[in-house]
Amino acid sequence: MLARGIEEVLMEQPEVEEDAVVAEADRGRGEIPVAYVVWKNGRGDAGPLEMRCREKLASFKIPRRFESIEKLPRNALGKVQKHLLCRES
């Protein structure tokens, strides 16, 4: 799964402050994309966001879940620690 391309599409959306996409294990598909979203106004609606993803991404790249999160976990250098996201949801 190429998370970077999915993240770029999400960052183009006006209501998204920042995001990270991680692969989650799935019995049928091997892994599925899950998007963790920090909304600009503190909250947002994943429905319209998903519809825009459907317009711009291949079906296997559309996040299967959109998790709202207050802030992304980062290390001291500011890099997103994606391995912590699955544990926070």
Side-chain angles (χ1 to χ4, degrees), residues 29 54 57-64:
R29 298 175 186 234
R54 288 188 182 282
L57 296 169
S59 62
F60 69 93
K61 290 184 177 183
I62 299 166
R64 298 306 185 263

Side-chain angles (χ1 to χ4, degrees), residues 10-74:
L10 292 172
M11 283 305 299
E12 293 173 355
Q13 307 312 311
E15 67 267 48
V16 176
E17 181 72 31
E18 60 181 346
D19 68 272
V21 175
V22 298
E24 182 178 281
D26 182 73
R27 290 181 119 183
R29 298 175 186 234
E31 59 184 28
I32 57 170
V34 176
Y36 291 83
V37 180
V38 177
W39 302 98
K40 283 190 178 171
N41 296 324
R43 64 176 136 135
D45 185 1
L49 191 58
E50 181 180 354
M51 292 302 295
R52 282 182 250 137
C53 284
R54 288 188 182 282
E55 294 171 0
K56 295 185 175 202
L57 296 169
S59 62
F60 69 93
K61 290 184 177 183
I62 299 166
R64 298 306 185 263
R65 259 191 359 259
F66 293 85
E67 299 286 342
S68 296
I69 189 168
E70 286 185 31
K71 65 179 183 173
L72 296 175
R74 297 185 182 275

